[in-house]
Amino acid sequence: MAQFPITRMRRLRQSGAVRRMVQETKLSADQFVYPLFVTHGKNVREEIEPMPGCYQVSLDRLHDEIAEVVGLGIPGVLLFGIPSLKDAKGTGAYAEEGVVQEAVRAIKKRWPELAVITDACLCEYTDHGHCGIVRNGNVDNDATLELLARTAVTQAQAGADIVAPSAMMDGQVAAIRKALDAAGLTETPIMAYAAKYASAFYGPFRAAAQSAPQFGDRRGYQMDPANWRMALREVELDVEEGADLVMVKPALSYLDIIAKVRECVPLPLVAYNVSGEYSMVKAAAKNGWLDEQRAILEVLTSIKRAGADLILTYHAKEAARWLQAER
Ligand code: PBG
């Protein structure tokens, strides 16, 4: 390859039109999924303090939120539920009339074409805040599997298009696949939170979902941020267990993991741009320390560039709006 002065990299950077022509990564609303917190009660639309622009919304107020998402061309939402009652077994997660199950029914009735993805986990529904059943101070993997399977089945029966197990229990994808198939739900895909790290960046989400563990932490089941080979193993196992899409979570501190998974797995790859990543940008922008729009589009572009096909992001609505305005 020729060197300077024959080669000048700046030649292709001179005009907007040429920059556009050589741009390698293009963002589009088609790749966004908007996470939503559905809460019990009536007439609730409460802003989540560390996540400005995001709300806990009750069923009866869901309409405006979904209409906005659909209007912006975002193809899917990811639902989290905040039940009225939490108990040791997370009963609300797999209740046929649970808050998420009801939300799915309401949304699918009105917007059958919107992809509704449900988080299959117990932590929003347990009084101790852990993602599974606790026995002797420990989260019991095998006893949890059946409850996660029931959660996924009730969600799919309510009409969820995709179920997304996030509890990081071993064997959860296989258990859910088996239960879905036994219930005749052979066509429901599983989006596996395959490489999910024990991250400080879930802090704002746990405030929003009131799901912080009441004792200990999640390091006994979520991954150590220091590990990458283990992430590949997690992904490989989920693929073998029948995952249809695999996820890396969080996204920003784990772009290397996204890139590595992209190289070795042909399945659609999902990245979760988590709550703490959202809060950081919002807080800095509020202080005037960052150009909000540029920072957010840069964040999302970098996640796509690393190899993600789909981005779960609280920025979905604003980013879709900016991308529309650019055209
Ligand atoms: C539930 C779950 C969590 C998130 C998604 N699903 C919280 C956790 O593992 O503590 C975090 C999402 C975010 O921070 O945006 N297991």
Side-chain angles (χ1 to χ4, degrees):
M1 288 245 205
Q3 298 282 319
F4 175 83
I6 294 173
T7 295
R8 288 182 184 268
M9 297 304 284
R10 290 181 53 184
R11 282 186 198 119
L12 297 179
R13 293 176 196 156
Q14 293 177 79
S15 77
V18 175
R19 284 196 295 271
R20 208 144 47 91
M21 283 160 54
V22 301
Q23 187 172 71
E24 298 171 31
T25 306
K26 307 260 188 219
L27 274 185
S28 138
D30 290 339
Q31 295 133 9
F32 299 154
V33 170
Y34 186 61
L36 257 175
F37 299 91
V38 188
T39 187
H40 60 95
K42 282 218 158 57
N43 200 22
V44 185
R45 184 171 190 263
E46 195 160 337
E47 191 165 36
I48 298 157
E49 199 210 333
M51 301 171 68
C54 293
Y55 299 82
Q56 295 179 343
V57 183
S58 57
L59 270 175
D60 54 329
R61 297 282 303 265
L62 212 48
H63 177 270
D64 292 353
E65 201 79 30
I66 302 289
E68 195 186 357
V69 168
V70 171
L72 287 164
I74 296 163
V77 291
L78 171 64
L79 299 185
F80 295 99
I82 304 153
S84 53
L85 282 175
K86 303 192 186 222
D87 61 22
K89 291 164 125 185
T91 309
Y94 39 89
E96 267 163 39
E97 264 111 60
V99 60
V100 160
Q101 286 80 356
E102 290 295 331
V104 174
R105 281 186 201 102
I107 296 170
K108 291 303 291 186
K109 197 165 157 196
R110 184 89 197 249
W111 291 278
E113 72 293 347
L114 181 73
V116 177
I117 308 169
T118 49
D119 184 75
C121 191
L122 302 189
C123 65
E124 297 123 72
Y125 307 91
T126 51
D127 50 12
H128 46 70
H130 278 288
C131 300
I133 290 296
V134 174
R135 290 227 171 106
N136 308 320
N138 195 21
V139 177
D140 186 324
N141 189 87
D142 299 15
T144 301
L145 293 180
E146 196 222 319
L147 301 183
L148 292 174
R150 273 162 68 180
T151 302
V153 167
T154 54
Q155 292 171 344
Q157 279 168 341
D161 295 279
I162 302 178
V163 293
S166 67
M168 287 300 278
M169 296 299 124
D170 287 318
Q172 64 182 12
V173 172
I176 288 173
R177 183 73 272 155
K178 196 170 154 212
L180 287 172
D181 289 355
L185 298 157
T186 55
E187 304 306 311
T188 304
I190 299 174
M191 176 189 283
Y193 284 70
K196 176 173 177 179
Y197 287 88
S199 170
F201 293 103
Y202 306 150
F205 172 97
R206 291 181 188 169
Q210 293 145 11
S211 66
Q214 299 303 300
F215 66 89
D217 54 44
R218 301 212 206 290
R219 285 181 295 181
Y221 39 107
Q222 299 179 348
M223 283 187 52
D224 182 342
N227 294 349
W228 67 267
R229 293 192 305 268
M230 196 180 276
L232 297 186
R233 185 88 180 105
E234 284 281 4
V235 171
E236 182 179 86
L237 286 167
D238 281 2
V239 172
E240 285 166 8
E241 288 181 29
D244 299 280
L245 311 94
V246 288
M247 191 195 301
V248 172
K249 175 185 177 189
L252 283 187
S253 296
Y254 302 87
L255 294 176
D256 57 328
I257 309 298
I258 295 173
K260 285 191 168 84
V261 172
R262 175 71 301 157
E263 268 176 33
C264 52
V265 179
L267 299 193
L269 175 54
V270 187
Y272 200 144
N273 176 213
V274 300
S275 57
E277 299 173 338
Y278 177 88
S279 299
M280 284 196 298
V281 177
K282 286 288 172 185
K286 197 168 165 188
N287 278 295
W289 295 339
L290 278 178
D291 176 330
E292 184 173 22
Q293 178 173 341
R294 285 189 55 206
I296 290 167
L297 292 176
E298 185 174 331
V299 160
L300 297 173
T301 301
S302 70
I303 295 170
K304 173 112 197 269
R305 189 200 60 230
D309 298 302
L310 207 58
I311 307 173
L312 309 183
T313 179
Y314 305 97
H315 294 299
K317 290 194 297 185
E318 56 197 359
R321 213 171 283 122
W322 294 326
L323 292 172
Q324 265 178 2
E326 266 180 20
R327 318 212 120 242

